[in-house]
Amino acid sequence: MGGVVQIRTPRWRNFLSFQYRPLAFMEDVVPQGDIVSLRTGMTQPSYVVGSPAVVQDILVTHDRSFQKGRSSSILRRTIGDGLLTTEGALHDAQRKMMLPVFYKNRIAQYAEMIVSETEQLSHRTNDRDVWSMHAQMMQLTLAIICRTMFAADIGGARAELAKAVDEAIIRSAQTLYSPLVLPFSVPTPRHIAHRRANKTLRAFVQDVLHDARARIDDYEGTLVHLLLHTTDDGGQPLTDALMCDHLMTMVIAGHETTANALVWAWYLLAAHEDVREAWHAEIDALRAAGAMDMMRQLPLTQRIVQEVLRLYPPAWMILREATEPV
């Protein structure tokens, strides 16, 4: 492992490059060393870490010495105090609380819903010559997350909700890359669009909660059912605000990354005919099997997914802030 090296380009150029072309900036910087200092000053020095060993130290070995920090405060504008933004003991408690909705028997039931939603998409798009793969994958994965986690069929609202999710994520990313973060109350065009998207998504999850209280048995096994039957450390039911935060987290984080990975998968399969044909053969050979059996017996599909995530990871940059010397 090498030591810290100084970035080769001037500070003003780094600032503009990162703000307007962050991915290209990272691709230029990472090969310069394991840990590259951006020469941003002594009070809050910033580094780009590309070494797998150092990343392992930050995210696993010494994870308690780091926090999400600024990135969490920006994401909190949309999802509040959900699993994606909380830290330390609170994060651990929330993670443990949500585990039951990801048990093996629940995954088997989700698989059936995934197949159903995908078949519906196939029927809707069969007679169209050209359509946006990104838009379709966003709507598909949103419909899946809503059925599996909320027992909600979003039907005709899928386009509106997917657009709101996209808007919230884009505006959050723009703020994350900006060196100057204005208070969310300042009525800039970016903030107005972001708040409008948040309002659409919050109204949806609040409607889900309201309906679940009226028809609780229909939500058996879902995240909504789990939250309605969970108490805090003092034995009190979770507040509506906190439950909405958890549902918002799942809406935002539970489908957009998957949608992006799927788009890259289709792109790569289109470019590699031999792999695509072998993949179709693998799927066709197991079409009559149950969903869980298919998941275990699709080695090529699993390798395709892993290669897509290696080449085009949806979360290609992670921010962490040290809370103590490491």
Side-chain angles (χ1 to χ4, degrees):
M1 184 188 304
V4 177
V5 300
Q6 301 292 320
I7 194 168
R8 302 165 188 162
T9 46
R11 184 173 177 178
W12 64 269
R13 183 182 297 174
N14 300 331
F15 163 74
L16 294 175
S17 296
F18 181 72
Q19 186 166 14
Y20 295 107
R21 299 177 66 241
L23 180 55
F25 173 77
M26 296 290 284
E27 288 179 327
D28 289 341
V29 174
V30 167
Q32 296 181 29
D34 288 344
I35 307 174
V36 181
S37 169
L38 299 183
R39 297 187 297 183
T40 50
M42 295 299 294
T43 54
Q44 286 187 310
S46 298
Y47 306 87
V48 172
V49 176
S51 161
V54 182
V55 171
Q56 175 84 5
D57 275 345
I58 294 172
L59 297 183
V60 181
T61 309
H62 299 292
D63 66 303
R64 293 300 184 184
S65 299
F66 293 86
Q67 63 180 5
K68 300 167 188 174
R70 183 174 184 259
S71 58
S72 275
S73 66
I74 292 170
L75 289 174
R76 196 171 283 114
R77 294 178 170 187
T78 300
I79 61 178
D81 292 316
L83 194 61
L84 204 61
T85 55
T86 52
E87 310 263 14
L90 178 58
H91 173 85
D92 293 343
Q94 289 184 353
R95 185 173 180 273
K96 183 178 180 180
M97 178 189 72
M98 291 192 178
L99 275 179
V101 297
F102 298 105
Y103 286 164
K104 184 178 179 180
N105 64 321
R106 295 301 307 165
I107 297 296
Q109 296 175 33
Y110 301 156
E112 297 173 4
M113 299 179 194
I114 292 168
V115 170
S116 172
E117 288 292 339
T118 306
E119 288 176 340
Q120 291 179 42
L121 170 64
S122 179
H123 296 323
R124 288 197 306 270
T125 55
N126 269 343
D127 59 348
R128 296 170 62 180
D129 294 328
V130 179
W131 39 278
S132 166
M133 184 64 80
H134 176 260
Q136 293 298 328
M137 292 301 100
M138 284 286 285
Q139 292 181 35
L140 171 64
T141 54
L142 179 60
I144 289 170
I145 203 70
C146 288
R147 279 191 65 183
T148 56
M149 295 290 105
F150 311 153
D153 185 352
I154 58 177
R158 70 180 69 223
E160 179 189 12
L161 291 173
K163 181 180 178 182
V165 171
D166 209 27
E167 187 75 48
I169 291 172
I170 289 172
R171 300 303 177 182
S172 296
Q174 289 174 338
T175 304
L176 196 61
Y177 298 150
S178 174
L180 178 62
V181 179
L182 297 174
F184 201 34
S185 57
V186 177
T188 65
R190 181 186 300 175
H191 288 171
I192 292 172
H194 193 165
R195 287 202 297 265
R196 187 185 305 120
N198 286 352
K199 184 177 180 181
T200 298
L201 296 171
R202 288 272 169 183
F204 165 67
V205 299
Q206 287 168 355
D207 286 346
V208 168
L209 276 177
H210 177 77
D211 186 65
R213 284 196 170 96
R215 301 186 299 111
I216 191 62
D217 291 343
D218 293 339
Y219 286 79
E220 181 72 34
T222 67
L223 176 61
V224 180
H225 187 277
L226 177 68
L227 293 174
L228 286 171
H229 288 81
T230 297
T231 57
D232 60 21
D233 292 340
Q236 297 299 311
L238 301 182
T239 65
D240 279 11
L242 184 54
M243 285 190 285
C244 281
D245 287 350
H246 289 315
L247 297 181
M248 283 286 288
T249 298
M250 201 59 68
V251 169
I252 294 292
H255 87 284
E256 188 262 351
T257 49
T258 307
N260 287 339
L262 285 171
V263 173
W264 286 117
W266 302 133
Y267 166 76
L268 289 171
L269 286 168
H272 296 83
E273 184 177 359
D274 56 336
V275 178
R276 184 173 71 251
E277 290 179 352
W279 177 61
H280 278 291
E282 181 177 79
I283 297 293
D284 292 340
L286 290 172
R287 189 173 293 276
M292 285 304 289
D293 289 336
M294 289 180 67
M295 290 171 65
R296 284 196 295 266
Q297 299 177 42
L298 295 174
L300 177 59
T301 302
Q302 292 184 28
R303 292 201 300 271
I304 289 171
V305 171
Q306 289 170 349
E307 184 69 350
V308 169
L309 295 178
R310 184 184 73 84
L311 291 171
Y312 299 104
W316 49 267
M317 180 173 66
I318 299 174
L319 279 68
R320 287 293 185 271
E321 299 174 9
T323 57
E324 61 184 3
V326 177

